Amino acid sequence: MAINFRKVSYSYSSLKKNKQVKFAISDVNLEISEKDEFIAIVGHTGSGKSTLVQLMNALLIPSLGEIDILGTMIHPRVKAKLKPIRKKVGLVFQFPEYQLFEETSLKDIVFGPKNFGMSAEEAMQKATEAAHLVGLSDDILEKSPFAISGGQMRKVAIAGILASNPDVLILDEPTVGLDPFGKGELLKLLKKINEQEHKSIIIITHDMEVVSEVAKRVIVLDSATIVYDGDTKALFKNEEFLMKHNLDYPELMKLMHSLREKLGLDIDIHQYSVEEAYQELYRVLGDTHE
Amino acid sequence: MNEKIVFGQYYNVDSWLHRLDPRTKLIAVFLYMVALFVIKDIYLLGAFLGLAIIVIATSKIPLVKFLNSLKMVSFILLFTFFFQLLLRKDGELLATFSFHMTIANALIIITLFTLFFLSKKIIKNFRVVLLCVVLITGFYVQYKFQFSYLLFTYQVRIFDSGLMMSLYILLRIITLLFISSLLTLTTKPTDLNNGLEAILKPLKYIGIKVATLTMMISIALRFIPTLINEAEKILKAQASRGVDFKEGKIGAKVMQIISLLVPMFVIAYKRAYDLADAMEARGFIPDAPRTSINLLKYRLSDYFTLGFCLVLLVITIYLRIFYAL
């Protein structure tokens, strides 16, 4: 059970003979396991990130090739019911706060599970669980989703997807527009879901900080194709590749990098937490600069 | 998503009609339409349709585009045509038809209609033509065959004024549609709006804020593609939450529509406030006199077109008054 892409291409215009079409996703092979994955998808604007994730829960149907989504085959002429797929693969869109519409936040969270055929009681129970998981208090749940703050709205929207209990959770730029505190909280939450419930999580992000902090695996997209798919740490070690695809280091690595360059320190710049970086600096400087 | 959403009917080629000033086209279409309503004579009306077709032929726009505009109203056209034809009962009697409804005929007609509706998925184009064929065979069968048990007989009488009137209305509507599509096909919505603003400018003396009105129209036009984009996003977001816009009972349907409409209202309001702020920041003052970046300018062809249409209208009024045509 997994999500498997086999030679998948997608174009927003319809394919016609003798006509050159621009593919948003071109000839992609990809395998994503259902459990314990934490994947970050990075790439420029227009490289096909959003298209790729929309293919994963059958919001878009591939123009060529086929996708096996948790046991259901999706191909250009698919006739299968798509709703069960969307329950299994939950997709949180960019700025999800705009999809809220109910009278109270709780009702909005219940909306998804109810649509997927849960009974009213079960849906309510799942919704309350999801709300508590994302850290929404009961008084917020009773308020109108238009009367709460932007960060809280986003939590409501994410809870709305979580309440349907998806096997795989996909988030399109979840940290954009959040303050540092909100961002940290959200990442902590995603880590928790990943570690405790072993659900696979896929996030699209531009933020290398987020990548280095949470992602175990990185997929780099460049002009509709996958140019890197593998371990996060290995990606940051390949300086040449990062330069070629205009990818940035996380802030901490930038700092370590300039320390090495400017001060001529013999340090390993590949540190992913402040603690590790401190240890590394201490190793080199410890005796002389105490 | 990346595909450009084209709004309006504008067909991008270069012809003398495309180059005409939008004001000219608006006024000319208006004059032509008034003339159409002045005419009483069916042959003159035919000549007007002929003229419209000649102009269309010089526009470099494929005729299909114009026929498409007919397609949308074809059911109404058919309906008014037969209504007039069958219900007018004055003037000279042209013909009488007796129709016999027998069991066999009724069965044939029912089969034809079921076939028509079942073929919906297979034959998608020319549905109206197909409907005509079905109707005509239906009546022909009743006219010709009298097998099996006779249920009832009825007569249809066609009078010359009925025939004339139905043809007259048909011709008038078709000409109207052709002329108005000619305007929208050859003029960009923004140009149309600019033209309208220029023409309606005198209304400011009686206290109507024309500039504000046309600004509203152009903003509305500008935001249609943006809002369509947003609507698509919301549709997808709600589809991810299990909304299936194709299925569901009526109760669920209402909920689905609300789940689209409420976010769209919120987004539209937010966009409107943002735009208002942006306009103010760039020094926009409502009702202040503004100059346009694209100045409209009349050329020789504009004067010619306007003069021609004016003469046309005067002639039709003259014919109507003195010859009752």
Side-chain angles (χ1 to χ4, degrees):
Chain A
M1 291 285 268
I3 301 179
N4 276 329
F5 281 59
R6 274 189 281 276
K7 290 181 180 280
V8 172
S9 297
Y10 182 82
S11 164
Y12 281 96
S13 41
S14 57
L15 299 184
K16 277 179 190 149
K17 272 179 194 165
N18 310 322
K19 205 184 134 201
Q20 203 75 32
V21 290
K22 198 174 160 265
F23 285 107
I25 281 292
S26 169
D27 205 16
V28 160
N29 291 298
L30 188 62
E31 195 163 318
I32 293 167
S33 147
E34 187 198 353
K35 289 215 176 297
D36 291 318
E37 294 246 35
F38 204 128
I39 303 175
I41 301 179
V42 295
H44 297 217
T45 322
S47 59
K49 306 184 295 285
S50 292
T51 311
L52 186 69
V53 295
Q54 286 177 38
L55 284 164
M56 287 180 193
N57 81 339
L59 275 177
L60 299 176
I61 304 296
S63 308
L64 295 170
E66 53 181 18
I67 312 173
D68 177 353
I69 305 175
L70 305 176
T72 314
M73 283 310 248
I74 304 290
H75 49 85
R77 282 154 201 270
V78 72
K79 290 238 169 73
K81 292 236 174 215
L82 304 176
K83 211 161 139 177
I85 294 174
R86 295 184 187 141
K87 187 197 169 302
K88 287 185 205 156
V89 182
L91 175 55
V92 181
F93 272 81
Q94 204 172 351
F95 297 112
E97 44 272 33
Y98 289 124
Q99 72 191 30
L100 306 178
F101 71 99
E102 278 279 16
E103 288 163 65
T104 69
S105 304
L106 185 63
K107 273 191 183 174
D108 213 288
I109 301 174
V110 171
F111 182 67
K114 251 184 167 170
N115 278 330
F116 288 123
M118 282 190 203
S119 69
E121 283 159 41
E122 195 189 352
M124 192 58 88
Q125 190 208 332
K126 286 275 177 200
T128 326
E129 273 176 36
H132 289 153
L133 186 65
V134 299
L136 287 166
S137 61
D138 286 331
D139 59 314
I140 285 174
L141 291 181
E142 291 311 313
K143 281 187 190 163
S144 156
F146 301 107
I148 57 180
S149 77
Q152 287 164 341
M153 280 168 94
R154 190 164 298 187
K155 281 183 182 171
V156 170
I158 293 173
I161 297 289
L162 281 177
S164 311
N165 197 23
D167 296 329
V168 176
L169 183 63
I170 308 175
L171 302 101
D172 191 345
E173 306 232 19
T175 56
V176 166
L178 291 182
D179 56 25
F181 178 72
K183 185 170 137 185
E185 262 197 332
L186 180 63
L187 292 181
K188 238 184 272 168
L189 167 70
L190 293 180
K191 257 185 172 168
K192 194 163 93 184
I193 296 169
N194 184 240
E195 278 159 16
Q196 289 179 1
E197 308 194 21
H198 303 286
K199 289 185 197 299
S200 280
I201 293 182
I202 302 164
I203 55 174
I204 292 181
T205 184
H206 278 115
D207 191 339
M208 284 305 172
E209 224 65 30
V210 175
V211 176
S212 74
E213 222 178 301
V214 294
K216 298 172 192 162
R217 175 179 165 192
V218 185
I219 294 170
V220 182
L221 278 172
D222 197 350
S223 28
T225 51
I226 292 181
V227 289
Y228 179 88
D229 178 4
D231 186 56
T232 310
K233 288 181 179 168
L235 173 73
F236 287 123
K237 285 195 173 126
N238 194 342
E239 204 166 325
E240 210 175 299
F241 181 84
L242 288 172
M243 293 281 275
K244 193 179 153 205
H245 294 284
N246 283 322
L247 297 173
D248 221 352
Y249 279 131
E251 293 300 322
L252 191 62
M253 277 180 66
K254 273 192 212 160
L255 175 71
M256 296 297 275
H257 189 261
S258 42
L259 282 176
R260 189 182 68 182
E261 300 298 310
K262 300 253 165 75
L263 300 176
L265 297 176
D266 181 26
I267 48 173
D268 178 13
I269 65 164
H270 301 286
Q271 308 302 336
Y272 302 100
S273 70
V274 178
E275 186 56 33
E276 280 169 28
Y278 174 76
Q279 291 297 335
E280 177 67 11
L281 283 173
Y282 187 81
R283 183 182 66 79
V284 177
L285 303 170
D287 304 334
T288 49
H289 294 258
E290 192 89 44
Chain B
M1 209 149 71
N2 299 321
E3 213 149 298
K4 214 176 136 204
I5 297 163
V6 186
F7 176 72
Q9 287 187 294
Y10 182 69
Y11 189 81
N12 195 5
V13 286
D14 189 36
S15 77
W16 70 279
L17 280 162
H18 287 75
R19 285 190 298 268
L20 277 185
D21 189 298
R23 287 172 297 179
T24 312
K25 279 187 268 191
L26 276 165
I27 297 170
V29 165
F30 177 73
L31 293 177
Y32 206 86
M33 284 185 174
V34 173
L36 278 179
F37 281 95
V38 170
I39 297 169
K40 265 194 123 178
D41 183 63
I42 191 163
Y43 297 107
L44 199 57
L45 203 58
F48 263 69
L49 177 60
L51 181 63
I53 291 173
I54 291 171
V55 176
I56 285 171
T58 63
S59 71
K60 293 184 190 169
I61 295 170
L63 194 65
V64 187
K65 292 268 165 196
F66 293 92
L67 295 180
N68 274 343
S69 66
L70 281 188
K71 213 163 102 181
M72 278 190 265
V73 291
S74 49
F75 276 102
I76 299 168
L77 278 181
L78 265 184
F79 184 75
T80 41
F81 181 81
F82 280 107
F83 209 70
Q84 290 284 344
L85 188 65
L86 300 179
L87 294 184
R88 293 278 296 214
K89 301 242 181 282
D90 44 349
E92 214 176 303
L93 184 65
L94 284 181
T96 310
F97 300 98
S98 336
F99 294 106
H100 315 281
M101 181 61 91
T102 65
I103 287 182
N105 287 346
L107 281 177
I108 292 173
I109 291 167
I110 290 169
T111 341
L112 277 174
F113 270 97
T114 14
L115 277 178
F116 174 73
F117 286 111
L118 285 181
S119 68
K120 213 175 204 165
K121 280 196 178 141
I122 308 158
I123 309 164
K124 281 185 179 140
N125 299 318
F126 306 109
R127 297 289 295 171
V128 178
V129 182
L130 201 62
L131 182 65
C132 283
V133 172
V134 168
L135 283 176
I136 290 168
T137 19
F139 281 109
Y140 184 76
V141 167
Q142 291 178 59
Y143 179 63
K144 207 76 184 170
F145 302 124
Q146 293 183 46
F147 312 128
S148 72
Y149 179 73
L150 186 70
L151 291 171
F152 55 86
T153 311
Y154 60 97
Q155 283 191 331
V156 170
R157 292 182 296 167
I158 308 266
F159 293 87
D160 69 339
S161 72
L163 186 62
M164 276 309 193
M165 204 54 204
S166 47
L167 279 176
Y168 178 78
I169 287 177
L170 201 65
L171 277 179
R172 187 144 84 185
I173 296 179
I174 292 176
T175 321
L176 274 176
L177 277 172
F178 274 4
I179 285 297
S180 50
S181 344
L182 196 59
L183 178 69
T184 48
L185 281 165
T186 60
T187 324
K188 285 180 197 141
T190 44
D191 286 341
L192 218 51
N193 194 40
N194 288 339
L196 208 61
E197 180 176 359
I199 291 172
L200 297 179
K201 220 167 216 168
L203 288 181
K204 74 178 172 198
Y205 296 112
I206 57 166
I208 295 172
K209 291 166 181 168
V210 179
T212 313
L213 276 175
T214 48
M215 173 64 85
M216 274 161 58
I217 296 172
S218 57
I219 289 174
L221 287 177
R222 161 64 187 78
F223 271 88
I224 286 172
T226 314
L227 288 178
I228 287 176
N229 246 330
E230 295 285 357
E232 264 170 18
K233 273 189 212 158
I234 297 293
L235 276 175
K236 278 182 178 167
Q238 304 298 26
S240 296
R241 295 211 277 165
V243 174
D244 195 334
F245 286 90
K246 284 175 201 149
E247 290 172 19
K249 294 176 199 123
I250 290 179
K253 273 252 155 26
V254 171
M255 208 56 188
Q256 290 166 5
I257 292 167
I258 291 174
S259 77
L260 173 67
L261 279 187
V262 173
M264 282 313 291
F265 262 106
V266 174
I267 289 171
Y269 266 93
K270 191 180 150 18
R271 290 251 174 209
Y273 280 122
D274 288 352
L275 180 71
D277 287 343
M279 283 167 80
E280 257 188 289
R282 292 210 266 164
F284 179 81
I285 301 163
D287 302 330
R290 289 169 64 242
T291 50
S292 171
I293 192 163
N294 302 313
L295 282 180
L296 297 174
K297 221 176 148 190
Y298 284 121
R299 279 178 302 197
L300 196 62
S301 54
D302 293 299
Y303 291 115
F304 177 75
T305 313
L306 279 180
F308 183 76
C309 286
L310 205 59
V311 170
L312 221 53
L313 180 61
V314 170
I315 292 175
T316 48
I317 292 174
Y318 177 82
L319 287 175
R320 173 75 185 268
I321 292 171
F322 293 99
Y323 298 93
L325 283 176

